[in-house]
Amino acid sequence: MPAWGRGWLRGDFLALGVEALLLALGVAFIYCSGAEVGGDLAGKWLRQLAWIALGVVVYGVMASVDYHFWCRKSPWGYAFAVGLLVLVLAVGHTLNNTRGWLPVPGVGYLQPVELAKPLTLLLMAWLGTRPALRNSRWGEWLPVFVLSLVAALPVGLICLQPDMGTALVFLPATLTAIFLSGLRKRWFFLGGCLLLLAVPLAFPRLNPYQKDRVKVFLAAPARGLSNACAPLLPEKTGRRLQDRVEEFLAAEEGRGPRDDWNAVQSMLAVGSGGIWGKGFLQGTQHVLGYLPKTIAPTDFIFSVIAEETGFLGGGTVILLFAVLLLCFFRTAITARDRLGCVLATGAGVIFATHIVVNLAMTMGAAPIVGIPLPFVSYGGSFMLGTMMLAGLVQSVQLHGEPTVEERLRLASEGFEEEE
């Protein structure tokens, strides 16, 4: 067997199998979401197959090449990603209040932010493990400053689109890279407290439609808490508390009633599936248009799955994601050096953020922020970014046993071996 073939024998076949199952589920339910609707939606599953085919090529290239090579080239990849984010602000296409798509002749639209996630992670992992950075006279604070600066540039450009939901995905990955670079836990606790204090200051700066999404999410718990506390307080105080809650939840000035349609219909779709579901191609919420047809195959694909397969089908999807994340973190633990550990952990955290936020928003446990479900949701740029991240984790798994020549080369370039 050739050397490259023997290398793949060290691959994580469990992760490969789970990823293939999730891709198959995605295609099946993208087909389902458009089959009975017809029109342009009926062909989305074929376009998804084309993106998967291209994504498999990207996955194979990223996995086959040693991740140290990708990290050494990461400054160029990062510059390319930032350049695309600047370009999209200048000539990008606006969709759903976000200027985040670049027109590509003959292909459609490219969303640069999806490529910025893996390319930014590569640079953060590379810089966070450089001995010159970690052992500087500035101690643990130099990596914090450098990694924060690396993340801040693309996040700032993404916020200008504005796409606040996607920008938030960078935060957990950045904190993970900073933590693995050696920052003490107590500083994370302090930073978390400061972040919570900053949330009320950031809310007034959101766009009106973004404020409405937050208010839709907070409406039920806020009213429930105020109604529960009112009998325990003096009558005037209780009434004042309820008035303040209603004042906060009111629609922004000059806007009509808050649009909570998508959130309500998504919960109805998930809940109506019951234990066993309505059956494949038997869903009604998206077919009849209650769950908008344009978002059913993308951000709300889990709502379609839960309606047609019920609790058992939805639970199976969640279980598959749990197994995949465990595979990623196992790869991080067994990585041959700190660089591989940071890279695999960061990719796992990005996937976990997408999975938790997407599932939570479809079930009313988080505001709707437009974050798709990895491997399952429809989307070309998102599929390519997902495959790049998954391929990098597989590269860490495949290249876990360096040769003597590789060890000498890595030592001469300043990379750390496993401690």
Side-chain angles (χ1 to χ4, degrees), residues 2 114 148 159 183 187 328 373 399:
E114 300 300 342
S148 299
C159 289
L183 188 66
W187 296 117
F328 285 177
L373 196 59
H399 301 92

Side-chain angles (χ1 to χ4, degrees), residues 222-264:
R223 288 193 176 108
L225 184 61
S226 65
N227 292 336
C229 293
L232 306 177
L233 301 171
E235 183 177 354
K236 290 184 178 180
T237 304
R239 190 181 306 115
R240 191 180 302 115
L241 173 63
Q242 292 177 327
D243 290 343
R244 289 291 180 86
V245 169
E246 293 302 326
E247 181 183 347
F248 171 77
L249 295 176
E252 294 296 306
E253 184 177 355
R255 293 172 63 87
R258 293 192 318 274
D259 184 11
D260 59 354
W261 180 266
N262 291 351
V264 172

